[in-house]
Amino acid sequence: MNTSCKAHTELSAYISNFCNPNLPKNHEGSWTKGSSQWLSKHCKKELKNKGRRNNVAISMSSSGTKSRVETAGGDKGDGLTYKDAGVDIDAGSELVRRIAKMAPGIGGFGGLFPLGDSYLVAGTDGVGTKLKLAFETGIHETIGIDLVAMSVNDIVTSGAKPLFFLDYFATSRLDVDLAEKVIKGIVDGCQQSDCTLLGGETAEMPDFYAEGEYDLSGFAVGIVKKESVINCKNIEVGDVLIGLPSSGVHSNGFSLVRRVLDRSGLSLKENLPGSSVTLGESLMAPTVIYVKQVLDIINKGGVKGIAHITGGGFTDNIPRVFPKGLGAVIYKDSWVVPPVFKWIQEAGRVEDVEMRRTFNMGIGMVLVVSKEAALRILGEGHNTNSAYCIGEVVSGEGVSYQ
């Protein structure tokens, strides 16, 4: 399940060309040459078209017109940062380093506990200040999906199937109707990830929370056979990065989002510029639960590492799965960036480097796979936008963009 095969030379050439959006146009006609044994006629045509569709620049709007986001990264005057909004990613990383000294092994997306021939894999998380927008919009039915997603998406990066979920709901005064909406979302999230809501805790804490507000946290446990665990050890130069699309901001970066919202002067009830949905609806779109899609891909082989793109964005999360000495090149024009990120960058004058270290930018999960697996995954999704080839593994460390 976690294996790597030596790539056929024709297949290697095909994948290298297909994944690289920066090739001259005259390469398009050669993408499928010499690789007919690998693709059906229909897949070849669709993959070729998909390659063309994916060459959409980040600085282009969904309507194809240029956006001022293109110059936002160069504005040094009063561009917002995540740290300006009160969140210091570097401080969080430093805390993890200190904790790792006391509890070796800490730092992965999920914690592994040996149990016979398997590992139990556990993860815990909340939904951050996205809750503030839930209070302002009155959208409480989907925040529970976010809560489940943040934990189950973490543990599936090890190849684990979620078994059960526990929640914690705390408020100053229990509003039963509101709490029921939130718990209903948690139940929906568990159904989407095929796990059981095993229990939880409801706490009334007068004077601790503002009237009408609440806090959430969750905890998930999954299981994976030891021989099947995704441990990232056999990642090598030339492996392909497959990105699975997000629904939007998901559940990270909302302290910066709220600061941008204040600066923009827009109401959550107003439409997202260039869109038919409101800002509130766009920002509250529930986090995608990738469990079933990722496990299906894993079961077909060739997956070597998986990164859940949460706090820290591409910049901090992708390197977490690489062995020492390896890094990634991201083809920044290889997927369509959702309009909400373009609005955030323009309204907040947020630089590119800050956007990529704070938000998922439209890709919520990144799989590091063999070239054969990449071809299969892209072929199977030929009629959808369920996966994108977004880059490759290179020598060196960190993430670069081209």
Side-chain angles (χ1 to χ4, degrees):
M1 205 175 292
N2 186 25
T3 59
S4 172
C5 299
K6 190 70 175 177
H8 190 283
T9 54
E10 292 174 350
L11 179 59
S12 299
Y14 174 81
I15 279 290
S16 296
N17 291 342
F18 179 75
C19 288
N20 193 338
N22 301 303
L23 288 174
K25 287 184 179 180
N26 61 11
H27 278 73
E28 288 183 356
S30 65
W31 281 2
T32 58
K33 286 182 179 179
S35 57
S36 59
Q37 66 269 44
W38 300 97
L39 294 170
S40 69
K41 183 177 180 180
H42 180 71
C43 283
K44 285 191 290 183
K45 180 180 178 182
E46 181 59 33
L47 286 175
K48 189 174 179 181
N49 290 336
K50 186 172 182 180
R52 292 186 178 124
R53 287 199 304 269
N54 289 351
N55 279 330
V56 179
I58 283 180
S59 59
M60 301 295 285
S61 73
S62 57
S63 63
T65 58
K66 276 201 171 184
S67 164
R68 284 176 290 160
V69 174
E70 190 173 42
T71 59
D75 191 326
K76 306 290 184 180
D78 55 353
L80 291 174
T81 69
Y82 208 10
K83 194 170 184 178
D84 291 338
V87 179
D88 189 338
I89 295 174
D90 292 324
S93 298
E94 174 60 24
L95 178 59
V96 171
R97 283 192 289 268
R98 295 186 186 187
I99 293 172
K101 294 178 181 178
M102 298 180 279
I106 295 294
F109 289 99
L112 277 65
F113 183 84
L115 183 70
D117 63 352
S118 300
Y119 286 111
L120 293 180
V121 185
T124 185
D125 213 332
V127 295
T129 59
K130 188 172 186 176
L131 286 172
K132 287 287 188 181
L133 296 190
F135 306 148
E136 291 182 43
T137 60
I139 299 174
H140 301 281
E141 295 82 359
T142 57
I143 200 73
I145 297 175
D146 290 297
L147 183 67
V148 175
M150 294 304 291
S151 288
V152 297
N153 285 344
D154 271 353
I155 67 175
V156 80
T157 62
S158 298
K161 179 193 180 302
L163 296 174
F164 59 84
F165 186 83
L166 300 169
D167 72 272
Y168 175 79
F169 177 95
T171 185
S172 59
R173 181 183 61 82
L174 183 60
D175 180 332
V176 176
D177 291 336
L178 185 150
E180 182 183 25
K181 291 179 181 179
V182 174
I183 303 302
K184 176 60 167 59
I186 295 173
V187 171
D188 288 346
C190 288
Q191 290 173 343
Q192 289 183 36
S193 53
D194 195 24
C195 71
T196 299
L197 178 58
L198 198 61
E201 170 71 6
T202 301
E204 277 190 290
M205 303 167 67
D207 305 323
F208 195 82
Y209 296 100
E211 185 68 21
E213 296 189 357
Y214 57 86
D215 197 10
L216 289 173
S217 61
F219 177 87
V221 173
I223 192 166
V224 60
K225 293 289 186 181
K226 286 181 177 178
E227 73 268 14
S228 301
V229 68
I230 306 297
N231 57 24
C232 310
K233 291 181 179 179
N234 60 343
I235 294 174
E236 59 188 354
V237 171
D239 285 337
V240 179
L241 302 186
I242 297 293
L244 307 184
S246 72
S247 59
V249 183
H250 281 184
S251 300
N252 293 99
F254 276 89
S255 293
L256 180 53
V257 167
R258 291 185 300 110
R259 187 66 63 89
V260 171
L261 187 62
D262 288 342
R263 169 176 285 193
S264 74
L266 294 179
S267 161
L268 289 168
K269 294 182 180 179
E270 293 183 65
N271 278 8
L272 174 69
S275 173
S276 61
V277 301
T278 67
L279 266 172
E281 291 168 337
S282 177
L283 293 170
M284 289 300 295
T287 305
V288 175
I289 292 178
Y290 295 100
V291 170
K292 292 180 180 179
Q293 182 183 7
V294 168
L295 289 179
D296 180 61
I297 293 173
I298 290 172
N299 286 337
K300 294 175 182 177
V303 178
K304 302 182 179 185
I306 306 175
H308 184 197
I309 309 303
T310 56
F314 280 17
T315 306
D316 287 0
N317 284 295
I318 294 176
R320 292 170 66 180
V321 306
F322 290 149
K324 188 174 181 180
L326 295 181
V329 169
I330 300 295
Y331 303 131
K332 62 184 180 181
D333 297 341
S334 56
W335 73 95
V336 179
V337 177
V340 66
F341 295 110
K342 299 170 186 178
W343 170 77
I344 290 169
Q345 185 166 27
E346 181 176 347
R349 298 183 180 179
V350 184
E351 295 188 27
D352 286 344
V353 66
E354 194 70 20
M355 291 294 294
R356 294 167 183 157
R357 201 188 180 200
T358 304
F359 302 109
N360 66 61
M361 300 303 293
I363 298 293
M365 192 77 81
V366 174
L367 283 65
V368 185
V369 306
S370 66
K371 293 178 180 179
E372 294 93 340
L375 187 57
R376 185 192 68 243
I377 293 165
L378 296 169
E380 289 175 346
H382 68 274
N383 205 30
T384 68
N385 290 323
S386 60
Y388 297 97
C389 177
I390 66 167
E392 62 183 294
V393 179
V394 296
S395 294
E397 296 188 352
V399 178
S400 60
Y401 302 84
Q402 68 177 43

